[in-house]
Amino acid sequence: MDDLKYLKLLSKEFNTIEKTISEIVKLKAISVLPKGTEYFLSDLHGEYTSFIRILRSASGNTRQKISQEFKYEMTEDQMNELSNLIYEPSNFLTLMTKSGDFTDSWVRKTIFNLIKLLKVVTSKYSRRKVRNKIPEAYRDLIDEMLHIDYVEINKQDYFDTLIDTIIEINASKEIITTLCHLIQNVSVDCLHIVGDIFDRGPRPDIIMDVLMDHHDIDIQWGNHDIIWMGAALGNRALVANVVRIALGYNNFDSLEDGYGINLRPLYSFAMDVYKDDPCDRFMPRIVDENKYYSVNKYATAKMHKAISIIQFKLACQILKRNPQYNMDHRITLENIDFDKNVYIPEDGKEYPLLDTNFPTIDRDNPIELTDREHEVIESLNTSFRHSEKMQTHLKFLFDKGSVYKVTNSNLLFHGCIPMNEDGSFKTLVYDGVEYSGKSLMDFFDEKARETAYLPRSLNSKERQKVLDLFWYMWCGPISPLFGKHKMSTFENFFIGRDLPISKEVSDPYFKLSKKEEFVDKIFEEFNLNPKTSHVINGHIPVKLKDGQQPISANGKMYVIDGGISKAYQPKTGIAGYTLMFNSHYLALAEHSNYEVMESVHGAYTPKLHITERFPERLLVKDTDEGKEIEKRIKELTDLFEAYKQGIIKERTK
Ligand SMILES: O=P(O)(O)OC[C@H]1O[C@](O)(COP(=O)(O)O)[C@@H](O)[C@@H]1O
Ligand SMILES: [Mn+2]
């Protein structure tokens, strides 16, 4: 018999034979239920409206279920109306009340339909699992309604009485809202976010709040997440970087309203120092023309330039104090000849600078901040540090996030596993130790976590050294979160976009991972079965309109960055992907039209491509959760044996 001590501990919870047996039976029953539906999304980039719509509609799945269930008894409009209600119950109910349509008969019909749909979407879950998802106040009532067989006449009366009571006690709005949330909730059993929640789009903070509310979620950190984490932990170069990106996209809302970051000191500084500089190269991109901005774009450009210069200086300082990054050639400000106003990189050629006004740069020491720049970055850093919301989000990113995740035979990570041209894994040498493949991913994961546990008060060299690594994860050539030979932010501003010198060369991984043999090699590295496994990546927008495909390597490799980010939609030609993994198949939902997604509530259904059908329906016992359940059943069976043999005594009190 296994570990008696452990069994004794277990017997505290299951103190009788009866309880033990009933738990074994419950677990056995759960393990033969169909597996829940997993959703994979990546590169949300602050686009909260689309994200929320995708989530609430279960990527269009709810609308499909409504069609299947009600197609013979409802018109298209009625089915759309029901979807609208489910996606946004409070808005919908307000509209209904205003228009006078919120009548008792509508309530009756609606609760009946919602229960009917809820039965469908919960059919593959255990009663216990569903019960636990129902808010306590309505748990018994909804559970009861779900399990009434309303075909029987007397039961139908009973059902009607329940609804009458709901109406009488004025609880109909709450019950309807609860039912809608429940349908949303059970439809997405598990959510995987394969990186890049932040930057470019308007409200990553709202996305984070929604994610924090989800019952089963994991996150694989993207390069755009790691910079917010590094910034929240006190990496000044990254504080500057996230503010720079926000200003570059004219996004004040998430910084100011979302996180309460005080941009005043930066504003005053920029207006003073760059007052006569038009800062043309720093004009913000305005993706959504209809937006109202509180700061005019000329002032934003000045702030954008001011923070960019601060970022370049601080980034150069990081590279200087970390020669082992092998990134000395990226100490950009030291490659400038300020007499000739040219940039001279490694190739020795001279590139004329498009902007030559550097009022804060000391030519003898171009990477040093001026006193005022120092004040600006310190005040921003303090603001980041004291933002309660930001620190809460940081904690959540640590709790639920990691560099990679293996789940149900899928390997999830945002960027890449750096490779050489021949398909061998690239090696990073850090403090004399070599890391590659899986150990490289583990290295960054561990280092990131180390920072979180080193006390902040201890502003030591040790903490700074680990914190600097967040910069490497953002743009280092052997960073699995980035995967390009350099990040050309400097070149884009000062030499020109779309020039050969500004080209960022992707890691060979991106080409090789399209081939099955290299993906199999990755599976081997992670100890995964090549026959049943998949790699799921984000990061690189799939340019569908140029003929690129999200699936390669004989169906083993998925790249699901379809461009939820509005800024990238012209490149991809679509509005994003969701990968769905249910008990029957893997499928990609292709979201094609933002306008429809954001305005015509409910009518929206994405194009669904089933990409792999399983020969047999997958059950809970075929999943990681199933393996845990199996272990638990084994332990409980041992406990049962121990009771039978009298090794452990039942306790009734
Ligand atoms: O298009 P933008 O916002 O200027 O960003 C360009 C930068 O973003 C990056 O593509 C990184 O962002 P992604 O992770 O979304 O690809 C850099 O490689 C590039 O320099
Ligand atoms: Mn990315």
Side-chain angles (χ1 to χ4, degrees):
M1 174 128 340
D2 270 336
D3 204 346
L4 192 59
K5 239 196 215 154
Y6 178 73
L7 290 184
K8 279 194 176 148
L9 221 60
L10 196 62
S11 73
K12 288 205 169 130
E13 193 181 345
F14 303 99
N15 52 354
T16 62
I17 291 190
E18 199 187 325
K19 265 197 196 161
T20 312
I21 293 180
S22 106
E23 184 68 9
I24 293 175
V25 171
K26 263 185 216 156
L27 291 177
K28 286 210 166 160
I30 290 176
S31 66
V32 292
L33 287 172
K35 94 180 254 305
T37 306
E38 296 174 65
Y39 284 75
F40 304 76
L41 282 161
S42 83
D43 297 83
L44 306 176
H45 285 301
E47 297 294 348
Y48 70 106
T49 328
S50 313
F51 168 69
I52 290 174
R53 173 53 41 85
I54 289 174
L55 195 64
R56 291 193 182 157
S57 64
S59 278
N61 228 358
T62 303
R63 181 63 179 78
Q64 271 188 346
K65 292 246 158 78
I66 290 177
S67 286
Q68 283 160 13
E69 199 52 33
F70 298 105
K71 67 174 172 238
Y72 297 118
E73 54 198 87
M74 282 190 190
T75 63
E76 283 294 315
D77 280 352
Q78 286 168 329
M79 290 193 281
N80 283 343
E81 195 181 287
L82 185 61
S83 327
N84 289 346
L85 170 70
I86 294 166
Y87 304 159
E88 267 159 63
S90 55
N91 277 355
F92 193 93
L93 292 175
T94 311
L95 289 176
M96 287 296 284
T97 314
K98 272 196 196 143
S99 63
D101 294 321
F102 189 78
T103 58
D104 287 356
S105 81
W106 183 84
V107 167
R108 245 187 216 99
K109 197 174 64 201
T110 302
I111 294 183
F112 183 80
N113 287 337
L114 288 173
I115 290 284
K116 204 167 162 196
L117 188 65
L118 190 59
K119 270 187 182 225
V120 175
V121 294
T122 55
S123 62
K124 65 177 179 179
Y125 299 120
S126 70
R127 185 165 179 175
R128 178 158 61 164
K129 182 164 177 167
V130 178
R131 253 189 84 82
N132 286 341
K133 285 179 189 282
I134 307 172
E136 214 177 320
Y138 301 116
R139 192 167 289 156
D140 290 334
L141 175 67
I142 293 178
D143 183 58
E144 184 77 13
M145 291 200 286
L146 260 180
H147 293 92
I148 290 174
D149 179 0
Y150 44 85
V151 178
E152 279 179 49
I153 295 300
N154 52 351
K155 290 280 178 72
Q156 198 173 338
D157 283 348
Y158 176 56
F159 190 85
D160 287 344
T161 316
L162 284 181
I163 297 188
D164 284 343
T165 319
I166 291 169
I167 294 171
E168 260 163 43
I169 62 167
N170 233 338
S172 20
K173 281 192 179 156
E174 269 141 88
I175 294 283
I176 290 176
T177 309
T178 306
L179 288 171
C180 293
H181 288 158
L182 212 51
I183 292 171
Q184 288 175 19
N185 180 307
V186 287
S187 303
V188 180
D189 194 35
C190 172
L191 185 60
H192 308 284
I193 305 291
V194 196
D196 280 3
I197 297 162
F198 290 87
D199 295 332
R200 299 201 178 109
R203 297 300 294 266
D205 53 299
I206 296 180
I207 298 182
M208 287 297 293
D209 285 341
V210 173
L211 295 180
M212 284 180 71
D213 258 354
H214 200 271
H215 52 276
D216 189 353
I217 166 146
D218 53 72
I219 298 165
Q220 292 71 53
W221 301 324
N223 49 339
H224 286 277
D225 307 315
I226 211 74
I227 57 178
W228 284 77
M229 293 167 70
L233 285 161
N235 182 322
R236 270 80 168 165
L238 289 177
V239 169
N241 196 25
V242 304
V243 173
R244 171 188 69 80
I245 296 174
L247 296 176
Y249 278 90
N250 218 359
N251 285 336
F252 287 82
D253 292 359
S254 66
L255 281 176
E256 292 189 310
D257 303 345
Y259 290 118
I261 302 300
N262 179 9
L263 295 174
R264 267 275 133 193
L266 172 63
Y267 175 81
S268 317
F269 166 75
M271 295 310 274
D272 276 359
V273 175
Y274 296 97
K275 68 171 175 293
D276 300 320
D277 183 342
C279 299
D280 288 337
R281 303 278 316 151
F282 294 88
M283 279 300 160
R285 287 182 236 197
I286 299 179
V287 177
D288 186 346
E289 291 291 343
N290 303 325
K291 262 189 190 160
Y292 164 76
Y293 296 106
S294 52
V295 181
N296 80 49
K297 65 179 178 186
Y298 302 101
T300 308
K302 293 186 196 314
M303 294 166 80
H304 187 201
K305 179 166 177 183
I307 199 66
S308 300
I309 298 290
I310 293 175
Q311 178 205 305
F312 290 127
K313 289 182 175 186
L314 291 169
C316 289
Q317 291 178 19
I318 291 181
L319 302 186
K320 260 223 144 137
R321 61 178 176 252
N322 291 282
Q324 61 173 334
Y325 289 2
N326 279 324
M327 288 175 72
D328 288 0
H329 57 288
R330 297 305 296 156
I331 306 181
T332 45
L333 297 178
E334 291 192 349
N335 295 341
I336 295 178
D337 180 331
F338 289 98
D339 292 326
K340 292 180 161 172
N341 279 325
V342 292
Y343 181 68
I344 312 175
E346 297 165 285
D347 64 8
K349 286 192 199 145
E350 298 187 349
Y351 295 86
L353 294 177
L354 294 173
D355 181 338
T356 56
N357 182 35
F358 298 109
T360 69
I361 287 188
D362 170 359
R363 292 170 178 219
D364 298 326
N365 193 359
I367 70 172
E368 217 46 60
L369 297 179
T370 63
D371 288 347
R372 281 199 73 190
E373 283 174 332
H374 183 76
E375 275 168 29
V376 167
I377 195 67
E378 285 313 309
S379 82
L380 284 170
N381 185 48
T382 309
S383 227
F384 272 56
R385 182 178 177 163
H386 290 156
S387 161
E388 217 179 296
K389 176 143 273 182
M390 182 164 300
Q391 297 302 325
T392 311
H393 287 175
L394 172 72
K395 187 173 177 315
F396 179 72
L397 284 164
F398 271 117
D399 286 350
K400 301 288 176 187
S402 50
V403 169
Y404 71 94
K405 184 175 176 81
V406 176
T407 171
N408 293 335
S409 208
N410 293 319
L411 173 61
L412 283 53
F413 52 86
H414 176 69
C416 69
I417 304 180
M419 282 179 171
N420 297 305
E421 286 293 344
D422 65 359
S424 57
F425 296 122
K426 265 186 192 150
T427 304
L428 175 79
V429 183
Y430 189 83
D431 287 348
V433 183
E434 295 188 348
Y435 303 95
S436 66
K438 180 172 180 297
S439 70
L440 183 75
M441 311 287 260
D442 288 330
F443 165 76
F444 284 115
D445 197 283
E446 280 159 26
K447 284 291 172 189
R449 285 177 210 285
E450 202 176 308
T451 325
Y453 295 110
L454 285 170
R456 258 190 118 126
S457 53
L458 222 174
N459 241 340
S460 64
K461 287 257 173 305
E462 188 193 358
R463 186 169 191 274
Q464 185 180 56
K465 189 174 165 191
V466 202
L467 204 51
D468 284 351
L469 272 170
F470 282 77
W471 182 263
Y472 190 92
M473 287 190 257
W474 162 238
C475 62
I478 314 186
S479 160
L481 285 76
F482 179 49
K484 296 179 191 167
H485 87 307
K486 68 170 181 182
M487 188 167 292
S488 306
T489 317
F490 179 88
E491 287 86 338
N492 287 340
F493 284 135
F494 291 100
I495 304 173
R497 273 184 187 264
D498 303 322
L499 296 178
I501 183 153
S502 311
K503 188 169 169 46
E504 299 175 350
V505 181
S506 294
D507 190 277
Y509 165 90
F510 294 101
K511 195 175 64 206
L512 298 175
S513 61
K514 299 209 165 12
K515 298 189 187 145
E516 192 174 2
E517 65 174 293
F518 295 106
V519 178
D520 283 349
K521 197 172 136 64
I522 294 173
F523 293 143
E524 192 187 319
E525 173 79 2
F526 285 82
N527 217 355
L528 284 164
N529 178 356
K531 290 213 171 73
T532 51
S533 301
H534 305 89
V535 170
I536 298 161
N537 262 188
H539 192 48
I540 301 287
V542 182
K543 296 171 187 153
L544 206 69
K545 70 176 183 46
D546 298 344
Q548 292 181 358
Q549 284 303 322
I551 309 171
S552 55
N554 195 19
K556 295 179 179 180
M557 174 81 205
Y558 282 75
V559 180
I560 56 166
D561 179 2
I564 292 173
S565 169
K566 272 193 189 140
Y568 276 44
Q569 285 176 16
K571 286 191 187 175
T572 61
I574 56 168
Y577 288 119
T578 314
L579 176 64
M580 286 181 238
F581 179 17
N582 64 24
S583 58
H584 296 288
Y585 53 70
L586 272 165
L588 271 173
E590 182 186 303
H591 309 290
S592 50
N593 188 330
Y594 252 101
E595 300 308 310
V596 178
M597 274 166 85
E598 287 188 359
S599 56
V600 190
H601 295 185
Y604 174 72
T605 6
K607 238 194 253 169
L608 196 78
H609 307 275
I610 296 182
T611 54
E612 184 176 335
R613 232 178 234 291
F614 311 122
E616 276 172 51
R617 193 168 192 191
L618 294 184
L619 307 180
V620 171
K621 70 180 166 63
D622 304 314
T623 65
D624 291 350
E625 185 196 350
K627 286 181 194 114
E628 289 301 312
I629 291 179
E630 203 180 303
K631 253 195 256 160
R632 187 75 169 168
I633 293 177
K634 160 96 183 45
E635 289 159 3
L636 288 162
T637 314
D638 286 347
L639 178 63
F640 173 62
E641 277 303 318
Y643 280 137
K644 266 195 346 201
Q645 293 175 23
I647 301 173
I648 296 177
K649 299 269 176 295
E650 287 186 83
R651 273 168 296 136
T652 38
K653 274 185 210 157

